[in-house]
Each structure stands twice: as structure tokens, then as C-alpha cells.
Amino acid sequence: MKKSKKYIAFIAPAFILYTVFMIIPILFAMYYSFFNWNGIGDMVFIGLNNFKRLLTEPRMSRIFFNALSNNFVYLLCVMVLITPIQLFFAYVLNIKIRAHKYLQLMLFLPYVVSTSIVGFFATLMFDPNIGVLNSILSSLGLEESAWLGNPDLSFKIFVGVVIWQCIGSGMMIFYANMKEIPDSLIEASIIDGAGELRKFFNVVLPQLTSSLSTNITLSVIFALTMFDIPFMLGGPQGGVNNTIDFVNMVFYRYAFGGAYFGETSLGFGSSISVTMFLIILTMSMLVKALLKKVKIDY
Amino acid sequence: MKMKFRILSILTVMVMLIVVIAGCGGTDETTTKDGGTTTTAAPDESGSETSESEGGPGAGQSLVIWEHTPQFEKPLVDLITAFNEKNPDIKIEYQIKTSDQYYNLLATTIQAGETPDLFWTNGTATSNLGSYVSQGVIMDITDKVDLSLFTDTMKEIVTIDGKQYASPTVEVGGRAVFYNKDIFEDLGLSIPKDFAEFESMLPTIKDAGIIPMSFSGSDPWAVLFHFEPVLAAMSPDWLEESKTQDVKINDARVTTAYDKMLEWADAGYYGTGFVGVDEGGALLAFSKGEAAMCIEGTWNIQTIQENNPELNLGAFQLPTADGRRPFVGTSSCGFSISEKTESPEAAIEFLNFFASIEGQEIWIKALDSIPGTPEIVSENPVINDIAQFDFQTASFYDILGKQQLEGENPRQVWEEDQTKVMSKGIEPQEFLDTLASMTR
């Protein structure tokens, strides 16, 4: 009997849109990365020179690797700080503590606020001259702080803002997964005398491999493509002494030019995006392979 | 209990919404309608029946004009309105972009063959105009538009190989020390007569619990607009030399200006954590009376006065050691015409109006900026304060561009590293040595 191919009609629209808006631009970026081109006029083929400049030219490589290391430090923060916090709050909501619905709303609300509004809130809080925090410190007779202007603090503030804004997204994925855990498992652990900690680590956590896998993969991609929050907090130059500079911001500066300077370099910018694409691809594959290995049997 | 939490949740959401709306409301005047694009059209087309210019140049044609920042929306609207009174048969649409995306969007439209009929550029201040000219994107307007209103210096910014590719404006983009007259009066201070007197005011203001100068150390451009008047006051001879010859970018006379700014920073004259303040925050702190002074670009007068219409605002030029008042001023560029415009007559007609005394008067007054010609007199007393200077100097940024070596891009390095000097991420000498290695 001939197999029906009607499913192609359902797949085709999404496939065509994905190809036009995702695959083709990626291929174009790869193509442009071999050229010296500012967006108009002649494209001059320069082979791998854009990549050579990015990775070996002293000044450029210093900027790129500083930004890349910030991406990875942030990824580390996601793994050791942000994900556990998301997990903790998901569990707290799942066991229905007092006021859990209010807590759920408060934790999820910042996620629906746009990043530009988050930037505005950050100015209200952290501006050394007119910010709320310095006003409080000043009224208490304490020494005011430079906040985002302090190189030792700016990255920590950035991570704090990310936690505040993004905690809701991963938390909801964990929470949804926890809801699927059969009550019988939880009840059995309670009958066996497991306390809250034991119940979490021995019963709940092993059931969360699917949400952990999703959250970790998404976090890796999100961390390596970070742009909007540091841009709003530290401007296009990546904050004081480039402490919150990320690779996507370097791409933005070189591909589209400075705010006033305006000299675009799409060829070089493309080489940055292609390099980052390869790094993200490699990382995602590594994470996928690692997560496969930690699959738990029951 | 459940009901209480529900009410608390609703109240919290409402408070957040109010804060967000209030926040957006605060910037309402500077954001544009329709997602960053604002358009207008000529008055009722029926007016063309009685129009004096019926059948005149460009009649029946339509134009699209691009501007790079919302700050220029009002001048452009006023200009279009006045132009349409004389040329009701020319329909004009304008679009206001944001400066950080402007050139990228322009390059995209050029690439797509949909270049706007008229569009703004930095002129020769950046490489964009030259690039567009070499690609045949821009019309040579040398014998088409009357630029007789402008001096040769003003025309430099639109001239490539002896031909003009845009209309300049008579606007002089300057820098000045803005000051709060009430604070000065309360502290018994007056406009300083020389650099030493200016410096002696700073501890007096600080001791009164007021920030002497609000300053954004996080924005390279805000640092530049502060640095240039300090350089002009401390080393006017270096700037004077730059007019006739190449100068050493890493000259000790330049380093000393940065050292002075760092000395002021260490003394707390910029307030706590100025390296974390953005330009808007610095202007707001000054407007609100948190700071006594602010050294900034003259185009910010509108912003300062809109931030606080009650502010008793004054301005002066930072004096030299011997009491002379330098003025750092740069020419500014207007609009270019697309080579491929389908409405060349209308575009030329519009640009001729823009380059006329009437057009420039409308432009300058709406912009509240400094006129570079005695034929236009500002009604804003602060502008007249700024115009009190003894000599004009070049911009450090322009000197960098003028002396850059082939294939080098010192201004990009400057933009990336400027703020690090103020945050002590690099030494002024190291920063200037890097720039010097990329210039003649």
C-alpha cells in the first residue's frame, strides 16, 4: 500500500519559513565572513582574514576573548546559581507553601517585562546620582556606591538582574515537570519516613531529567547569545572596562558600527557570528551528549 | 486569607504597571510614533489648484526624507511645513530613525535599491558619505543647490574632491559649561574669569554638599564633550597648531587634560560613581539641581530645559589660564539627495529651501542651537551666553580623523577605549600612544 504523504503539506509552511528566515541568513553570514564588505558596494574576497584578525590580532583578540570569557563565566553562573535557584523555587511552589500563588506571580512577573523596561528599572535603582539605592545609603549615613560603575560590582549586578528577570522561565519548566511526578511516589517516600530534603534529592530530582535537560540546553544557548540585558545596563561598549561585554555586543559594534561613528563592517561582523555559531553548536552537542549519559533508570 | 493574597497580587501588578507606564511616559517626548517611524504628508492636495507654484519644479512629485535621531524631528517637521506652504504640490513623508541603527538601515535600503530621496549623513566627519559617493549613491549637487549662505569652513563637511554632496547647516555643534544660576548665587559664585578660578570653585561647591559637575563616564561621547573644552582651556596652543600642521596625538599637552579630569574625579568633583552614570542620567542630575554644572554638547540645551523648565540655566566657556574663552565647535551636515531619486526636481527644490536663510532659520530655532551666521539670532538667552567666546578651536575627534593613517581606524579605538581612561582601566598615556600609532 502506498504511504500517504499528506504530512508534507503540514510540514511545508513551517519548513519554508524556517529555511527562509533561519537557514538562508546563516548561509549568507558564512558567505559574507570571507569578504571585506561594509554593506553596500563591492565585496572584496579576503579568504580567512576576518577570522585571522578576530582570533590573532592582539587588540581584536583581546576584545573577543574577554567577551567570550564573560559569556562562559555567565554560563557558569547559570549552572551553579541560577538553575539551582529556579529549581528551589519550583519545588517551593510545588509543595504549596503559604502564599505560593502570590510568590508564583511575583517570580514570574519580571519575565513578562521587556528588557528596555528592566533597563529603566536598573537606572532607577543603580544610578549613582539619582538612583534609589544610593538615596537609601545616603539617608542612612552610609557611603554611596558606584554600582554599575564599579568594575568589581557590575558583573554581579548583571547576574542579579538576570536572576530577577529570568528566574520565572526555567522555574515554570521545572514546576510543570514536578506536577507530572506521580503522587504515589511522593506518598511512598513520606511513608518511608523521608524528610523534605531526602524527598527532594531522592524522589523529585531524579524525575526531573527531561526539564533539567531542556533548561540546561536553553541556558547554554541563552548564555552564549546574551545581548539585551548587558546592553541596557552597560551600553554598547559593555560597561566599565568591558566587564559586561559579551560576544554578541562585539558583533553589534563591529557589524553595525558605533552609535555615532556609524561605520559598518558586515564582513567582519559575519566572521564573529559564524565563530559564535560554531561555538554554540559545539557546546549544544556536548551538553546533549553529557545529558544522555546521566539518564536515570527507575 | 486566599482573598487577601489575591488582592495583594492584583495590587502588586497594578503598581508595577503604573511604574512601567510612568517610566514610558517620561520618555514620551523623545520617542517617535509608529515604532520609530513618523510620517507626515503635504497639506490637502486640493490646495494645489490655487497654488502659486503649480507646475513649478517638482510639482506633483513626492519625497521621502530620513533623519537619524528623534532630536531632529521638530526642526524637520517645521521645515517641511514651511516648505509645503510654498510648494503644496510636493508630497513629503519623513522617517525618524534611531542613531544606533541609522546607517545599518540606510545601507539596507541602498542595497535594496530603495534609497530615500533625501537622507542625513555625518558628512565627511565619518567615512559613510565618501563611501556612498564612491558607490554612486549620492547626487553631486555642486551646481544644483545654492550653498552661498555657508562659509567655506562649513562646506568642508559636505565636500569631496571639490564637489558638494549634501547641504551643510549653519548650526555649530559646540561644547559649553552649563551652570545652575541659583546654586551659583546661593554660594556666591560667578562665571570664572580664568582656569584657576574655575578650579577654585569646585571644592566650594562640593563642600556645600552639591556635585560640582555631573558627568557621564560610561559614554565615550559624553567624555569627549567634557574632555574637549578642558583640552581647549588647558592646551589651546596644541589645538591652534593642529589647524596648520599634523600634531602629536600623544603630546604631553593632551595627556595633561586627561590627567586633570582624573584629578577632579579623585577629588569627588564628578560625584560618586560617575563611571556608572549614563549621559541621560548626568543631564538629569544637573537638571534636577543635584549638580551645579555640566560640561556638555550645546545640542543638549533642549533636553536640560525640558527635564526641568524651572531650572535657572546659564552657560559659559571654560576659560584658559590667561582668561581667554575658547569655543570647541564643529560644523554639521544636513541632507544628501539620492542619485536614483525619482523626484530629482522636488528633492533639489527642497534642499534649496533647506539651504536658504529662511530654511536655516527654521532649522536652528527649532533645534535651539548655535547659529554660525550673524544673520540668524537666537531667542534663547542660553545660546547667546554660549556665543560669548574669544576664539574657536577644532575638535579632538576631528583631528583624529584628519590625521588617521591609511587602513587604520583610530576613532573606532577611541570609541571603544575612551571610557576606560576614566575608569582607570588604562592610563591616559597608554590610550593616547595607541591612538598616536594609528595617526600621522
Side-chain angles (χ1 to χ4, degrees), chain B residues 119 121 129 132-134 138-142 147 155 158-167 333 335-337 339 351:
Chain B
F119 54 93
T121 68
L129 184 73
Y132 299 154
V133 168
S134 66
I138 290 182
M139 183 190 285
D140 171 9
I141 59 161
T142 311
L147 301 180
K155 281 191 277 193
V158 299
T159 305
I160 293 172
D161 296 334
K163 293 175 180 171
Q164 279 84 49
Y165 290 93
S167 168
C333 187
F335 298 97
S336 296
I337 299 176
E339 179 68 42
L351 209 54

Side-chain angles (χ1 to χ4, degrees), chain A residues 36 76 88 111 130 228 235 263 274 276:
Chain A
N36 184 7
L76 192 69
F88 169 76
Y111 187 63
I130 54 169
D228 49 359
E263 294 189 7
V274 169
M276 215 47 204

Side-chain angles (χ1 to χ4, degrees), chain A residues 198-220:
Chain A
R198 190 111 192 239
K199 198 169 76 185
F200 174 74
F201 283 107
N202 289 17
V203 180
V204 177
L205 195 58
Q207 299 288 327
L208 298 180
T209 45
S210 62
S211 55
L212 268 171
S213 164
T214 306
N215 264 346
I216 289 172
T217 310
L218 288 177
S219 297
V220 168

Side-chain angles (χ1 to χ4, degrees), chain A residues 107-145:
Chain A
L107 290 169
F108 199 70
L109 202 55
Y111 187 63
V112 298
V113 176
S114 78
T115 309
S116 53
I117 301 294
V118 172
F120 170 71
F121 281 147
T123 303
L124 284 183
M125 295 300 287
F126 298 112
D127 187 284
N129 291 337
I130 54 169
V132 172
L133 292 177
N134 269 3
S135 299
I136 294 170
L137 290 177
S138 171
S139 62
L140 295 173
L142 298 170
E143 196 183 338
E144 294 179 359
S145 170

